[in-house]
Amino acid sequence: MHASKLLDVIKRAEDGPICMEKDFDFSIMRLKLKELIKDYDIRYDPEVLVPSDDSLADAVFNAALELYLETGTYCLSTHRQIKFEEDEIRLALHEAPSQITFGAETDERVMANRRIEDRKPPLCLTSGGCEISEDIYAKVVQSLAQEPLADTVSGGYPLKTIFGMVPRAGTPIEILASTYNLIYAKEGTKRAGRPLIGFHNLIGSALSEASYINMNQPELGVRPVDGMLIATLAELKTDYSQLAKALYYSDQDTVLIGGVYVPLMGGYAGGPEGTAIVTLAHHLQGVLTYNVAYSDFPPLHLKYSCSTAPETIWIASIVCQALSRNTHLLTASEAITAAGPCTDMCFLEVAAMSIAGAVSGCHINNASAAKSQYPDRNTGMEAKMGCEVGHAATGLKRTDANDLVTKIMSKYEQNLKNPPLGLTFQECYDLNTVKPSEEHVNIFTRVKKELEDLGLKF
């Protein structure tokens, strides 16, 4: 899709049906979801977190298509619906890429469409989402890139401060932070000895369109084999700021455009069934309104602020299966853990999401620790666990994966209400060598042994 097609999207944002936001949330989306859940008989079974029912996956896809035909995307800037016909949606799905390339030379990695129970390992995206202090930013990225199974890394951590100032959205400091975000992220991969590794998300210190545009600096290392993520707004919404980012990059060919979707289970989408339908509809929205080449999604449990609760694991699994069976879209399920780094619970949460994603036909993204809410609480060790488990789970049958995930869930589910905060990067890594502490390694080894005892073969 070039800028001309995105101009058509913006035109629809200005000419589409007028609708107040509360009417969109309740009278249109919420009511339609209730109807679709009943019509397609979509049911969450707490005993089956990794479903094996192909008809259920197809039902979720068809319900999402029907939902998106009804709702389209709500534009907050114009109070109008951006709507599409079914043939337009199916054409966009057909034209979406079935594979893309991140990185170069020895670190070139192909993100290709995966099948359910695929015997090819998932691409292991490594990242996080919490604020990071500027003095350790490059070291945090280094801790990701130095993990051997890391296929891509992320600069998607917002800088806590830059030159001592807080980079608030829409301020000149935010633009400065976006530049240094890029500099520090690229420096981190150089220190890890992997300057050619791809980024699936270059920048986290940017909310405004000005900062996104400022990020487009090839002289600082931005390449067509790197990606940047544009968020859709929960649920099924956008605004002129997000559309401006997509429009700008649609004709640049300087980076890959990705979409990130964070549907809220317990919000307007309701329970797990409605959230699964909305999550898949977000993938349709990404292709149609942002021209995304790939996607990343952590379905967020509103009560626990994580994606690793039983209901959200189920959502991730069934959405991945529905996409794998009915499209060739490229997507990754992301673990946002309740617990913080250097805890048994954090590693167990990452393992549960990695297994569910790997067998369900998508790629995996690990991990945002401590709900992505606490500064400096992300390390390369969460990524290491996610990568190793994702490879170990490759080729498992869904029934076996469900058995594993259910057993893992029993080890941490009772702590979701009050998870351990864990340690900061500074507390569990040697800042001179950028190596994990002995305590961190021991916890990792202990949890890995637990997973082996449950039947996962590394």
Side-chain angles (χ1 to χ4, degrees), residues 221-290:
V222 174
R223 307 165 297 173
V225 290
D226 291 323
M228 44 85 71
L229 295 174
I230 302 175
T232 62
L233 309 178
E235 304 291 350
L236 297 174
K237 297 172 185 174
T238 190
D239 60 19
Y240 272 167
S241 177
Q242 305 301 79
L243 290 172
K245 298 167 191 175
L247 178 63
Y248 173 76
Y249 280 103
S250 63
D251 262 352
Q252 293 295 310
D253 294 326
T254 50
V255 294
L256 296 161
I257 301 174
V260 59
Y261 321 127
V262 189
L264 304 176
M265 200 218 85
Y268 294 129
E273 299 90 349
T275 309
I277 296 169
V278 167
T279 301
L280 202 147
H282 270 289
H283 284 78
L284 305 180
Q285 173 180 317
V287 171
L288 284 152
T289 62
Y290 293 168

Side-chain angles (χ1 to χ4, degrees), residues 30 45 56 80 96 99 139 162 164 253 260 377 381 394 438 458:
R30 194 73 179 267
D45 182 351
L56 175 62
R80 292 178 183 268
Q99 66 176 50
K139 295 177 181 181
I162 186 69
D253 294 326
V260 59
R377 276 180 162 81
M381 288 294 278
T394 299
E438 182 178 357
F458 287 92

Side-chain angles (χ1 to χ4, degrees), residues 185-205:
K186 289 289 184 175
E187 176 63 23
T189 59
K190 291 176 184 176
R191 293 182 184 182
R194 300 181 71 183
L196 301 176
I197 193 172
F199 281 77
H200 65 269
N201 189 23
L202 278 166
I203 189 165
S205 301

Side-chain angles (χ1 to χ4, degrees), residues 94 170 258 331 351 364:
H94 174 73
T331 195
I364 56 176

Side-chain angles (χ1 to χ4, degrees), residues 32-350:
K32 186 65 176 178
L33 275 174
K34 289 181 179 179
E35 174 190 318
L36 292 168
I37 292 168
K38 182 179 179 180
D39 289 349
Y40 285 95
D41 193 26
I42 297 170
R43 299 180 186 179
Y44 162 67
D45 182 351
E47 301 298 319
V48 184
L49 303 184
V50 181
S52 302
D53 184 350
D54 290 341
S55 64
L56 175 62
D58 292 342
V60 169
F61 176 82
N62 291 324
L65 177 60
E66 191 171 331
L67 175 70
Y68 196 60
L69 284 169
E70 176 78 16
T71 65
T73 296
Y74 184 74
C75 181
L76 292 164
S77 301
T78 62
H79 305 292
R80 292 178 183 268
Q81 292 171 267
I82 305 170
K83 301 193 73 172
F84 302 92
E85 300 294 332
E86 183 172 350
D87 61 341
E88 293 178 301
I89 297 174
R90 293 196 180 277
L91 179 60
L93 292 175
H94 174 73
E95 292 180 342
S98 59
Q99 66 176 50
I100 55 176
T101 300
F102 289 107
E105 298 179 22
T106 54
D107 273 314
E108 180 179 291
R109 300 291 186 273
V110 175
M111 186 182 202
N113 177 246
R114 295 184 76 241
R115 301 288 91 191
I116 296 169
E117 299 174 359
D118 205 322
R119 302 197 68 82
K120 300 188 301 293
L123 204 71
C124 293
L125 289 64
T126 62
S127 62
C130 66
E131 290 182 335
I132 299 293
S133 300
E134 54 191 298
D135 60 321
I136 63 165
Y137 199 102
K139 295 177 181 181
V140 172
V141 175
Q142 179 184 345
S143 77
L144 301 178
Q146 68 192 13
E147 292 302 330
L149 293 179
D151 291 314
T152 71
V153 294
S154 174
Y157 303 97
L159 275 161
K160 185 178 178 182
T161 59
I162 186 69
F163 299 114
M165 293 183 284
V166 177
R168 295 184 178 87
T171 67
I173 302 305
E174 183 201 17
I175 295 177
L176 182 67
S178 68
T179 297
Y180 277 88
N181 184 160
L182 187 59
I183 292 170
Y184 294 152
K186 289 289 184 175
E187 176 63 23
T189 59
K190 291 176 184 176
R191 293 182 184 182
R194 300 181 71 183
L196 301 176
I197 193 172
F199 281 77
H200 65 269
N201 189 23
L202 278 166
I203 189 165
S205 301
L207 291 173
S208 69
E209 56 269 39
S211 291
Y212 266 74
I213 292 170
N214 176 68
M215 184 211 75
N216 190 24
Q217 301 187 51
E219 64 274 17
L220 295 181
V222 174
R223 307 165 297 173
V225 290
D226 291 323
M228 44 85 71
L229 295 174
I230 302 175
T232 62
L233 309 178
E235 304 291 350
L236 297 174
K237 297 172 185 174
T238 190
D239 60 19
Y240 272 167
S241 177
Q242 305 301 79
L243 290 172
K245 298 167 191 175
L247 178 63
Y248 173 76
Y249 280 103
S250 63
D251 262 352
Q252 293 295 310
D253 294 326
T254 50
V255 294
L256 296 161
I257 301 174
V260 59
Y261 321 127
V262 189
L264 304 176
M265 200 218 85
Y268 294 129
E273 299 90 349
T275 309
I277 296 169
V278 167
T279 301
L280 202 147
H282 270 289
H283 284 78
L284 305 180
Q285 173 180 317
V287 171
L288 284 152
T289 62
Y290 293 168
N291 184 31
V292 303
Y294 63 102
S295 301
D296 168 64
F297 74 103
L300 202 67
H301 197 294
L302 203 57
K303 182 178 179 180
Y304 302 129
S305 299
C306 69
S307 69
T308 52
E311 299 92 339
T312 45
I313 292 280
W314 179 85
I315 292 166
S317 177
I318 199 62
V319 168
C320 288
Q321 292 183 45
L323 288 167
S324 179
R325 283 181 54 80
N326 294 278
T327 76
H328 58 247
L329 297 185
L330 309 175
T331 195
S333 61
E334 180 179 349
I336 297 180
T337 68
C342 206
T343 65
D344 293 60
M345 181 174 171
C346 183
F347 285 135
L348 289 168
E349 290 178 81
V350 169

